[in-house]
Amino acid sequence: MKKRIGSYPCVRIEGGGRAVVSQAGSVLLVETVRKAGLDTAISAALTPWRKARAVHDPGKILLDVALAVALGGDCLADVGMLRAEPAVFGAVASDPTVSRLIDSLAASGERALRAIRSARVEVRQHVWRLAGGKAPDAGGSVTVDLDGVLVVAHSDKEDAAPTWKRTYGHHPLMGFVDHGPGGTGEPVAALLRPGNAGSNTAADHITATRLALAQLPAKYRRGRQTLIRTDSAGGTHDFVAWLTRRGRWLSYSVGMVITDAIHQHVLQVPASAWTPAVEADGEIRDGAWVTELTGDVLDGWPNGMRLIVRKERPHPGAQLRLTDADGMRLTCFATNTSGRPIAELELRHRLRARAEDRIRAARSTGLRNLPLHRTAQNRIWLEIVQIALDLLAWMPMLALTGTARLWEPRRLRLRLFTTAGQFVTTGRRWILRLAGHWPWTSHITAALERLALLPNPG
């Protein structure tokens, strides 16, 4: 008997395997593209950039890069993953052709960005109709979370600058539609800014909100059914006034900095005025209370604004700040929603923390760094990243159920997209067979069956 040495089996490697498909599970994304009509919409939008006698369609090129980013790529050259599997992804352009398209779109500036965004909003409305009760607007309202993200630059790039965290790079401001506790979220805004851009710049928040509203169906671009949530960076007079301007009437829930005036008001609140905070399941949140401040602390702010403060026992080891009181950590936010208990409003604002999950997903989907040198090119890259994140949000919404709907990009790649497969021929048909021993093959086949039941676009 020969004794095996080591913990893993010794495998003999031979090249030249035929009909073997890497990333076979990525057919989920390809089918989502087809059912959503994203390929035809992007191609139609980028028709002005197609040169005479061109072999590759600009829309297909851009979408191929987005698919590569969704599968884990972080630069234009990673489109080679798709080029290696023509039976799944079709003909894929060469690296020089991809680079020339990005340069051409970047040279067109806002015109190219508007074309890409118009295609995305058209497809988004179609996908939400397909999703029905799973769509983020199924309850008749939409929540948009705004948050900034620091993108570190490891080389000299245009508009890269020192950041407030003493790093070097860019500071994009992004917006995400919240899918609620049963889903993830999808990007609707990405404003590229230098690394030294201020966190609480009202003009940037207004611009990002405009971009986000333009990505929503028309009925959600104004009115109280659309909620804008931000952290304390959005708690500025100009931004709040813009949200509530006549004809816009948006709902908001924005964090506020604990100023000295707010701190003094909190010290005067009697113990009987504090209400226990609640958790998402309706249970009382241990060691946390909320109250509403009134009086002159609201002077200078728009009419109808409510100022709600939460006090909570700090976590073990947490450092108290000068604005905290009586050993309690104080946080504050403002909203114009009336007729609802303050504990419920505080819970709604606290759920803005889901935006941090969306930022983490974006970092693992092309936003770990900005791979191009010029700002105009990286603005196109941000649109590509958003298309990739759209697909990673739409596919679970349309095809997955249960806890699988909550899987973030990294888990989707490890469990679904990297599944091995093999093409076999039966008559004149090509059939992709997935690895039967893979634990999540049933998730893929069930998801493909759900996508197949959806109507084709047009």
Side-chain angles (χ1 to χ4, degrees), residues 165-359:
K165 278 195 173 182
R166 298 184 179 180
T167 57
Y168 182 81
H170 297 82
H171 188 190
L173 183 60
M174 302 195 68
F176 298 90
V177 170
D178 184 22
H179 284 193
T184 54
E186 57 192 274
V188 287
L191 179 63
L192 184 58
R193 305 186 299 168
N196 56 3
S199 297
N200 58 347
T201 305
D204 290 345
H205 278 78
I206 291 172
T207 302
T209 305
R210 287 186 187 275
L211 293 175
L213 294 175
Q215 282 294 307
L216 302 180
K219 64 180 179 180
Y220 296 115
R221 294 174 189 171
R222 65 182 65 207
R224 289 297 179 88
Q225 71 274 17
T226 302
L227 173 69
I228 306 297
R229 285 192 306 205
T230 74
D231 56 11
S232 58
T236 60
H237 286 78
D238 291 344
F239 182 55
V240 174
W242 183 88
L243 292 172
T244 57
R245 188 169 298 168
R246 182 180 178 86
R248 195 167 288 119
W249 298 307
L250 297 167
S251 296
Y252 63 83
S253 182
V254 300
M256 301 288 286
V257 176
I258 302 291
T259 62
D260 184 64
I262 294 176
H263 188 256
Q264 294 302 320
H265 274 72
V266 171
L267 295 178
Q268 298 173 12
V269 174
S272 59
W274 292 94
T275 301
V278 297
E279 298 284 9
D281 57 4
E283 297 294 326
I284 292 178
R285 184 177 177 87
D286 184 44
W289 298 265
V290 294
T291 191
E292 182 173 359
L293 301 183
T294 58
D296 58 2
V297 73
L298 298 177
D299 291 349
W301 292 95
N303 294 331
M305 190 180 94
R306 306 175 67 183
L307 195 60
I308 299 173
V309 178
R310 181 186 74 186
K311 67 177 182 180
E312 186 172 21
R313 297 192 189 101
H315 297 292
Q319 295 290 328
L320 290 176
R321 299 166 296 192
L322 294 176
T323 53
D324 295 330
D326 299 328
M328 295 285 187
R329 171 64 53 83
L330 297 180
T331 56
C332 180
F333 72 98
T335 182
N336 60 346
T337 303
S338 59
R340 296 175 62 178
I342 59 175
E344 182 180 334
L345 295 175
E346 190 275 332
L347 172 64
R348 184 186 70 175
H349 183 76
R350 199 180 340 130
L351 293 178
R352 195 206 66 83
R354 283 199 285 253
E356 301 297 333
D357 299 332
R358 308 288 79 78
I359 292 295

Side-chain angles (χ1 to χ4, degrees), residues 365-386:
T365 311
L367 205 59
R368 181 180 62 85
N369 69 308
L370 296 176
L372 305 172
H373 177 73
R374 294 191 291 116
T375 296
Q377 295 172 320
N378 283 321
R379 293 178 71 187
I380 300 296
W381 178 260
L382 275 184
E383 295 299 319
I384 293 172
V385 169
Q386 289 181 88

Side-chain angles (χ1 to χ4, degrees), residues 25-35 39 67 88-89:
S26 58
V27 294
L28 285 170
L29 294 178
V30 174
E31 188 66 9
T32 301
V33 167
R34 194 176 70 82
K35 289 294 183 176
D39 50 350
L67 283 170
V88 177
F89 301 103

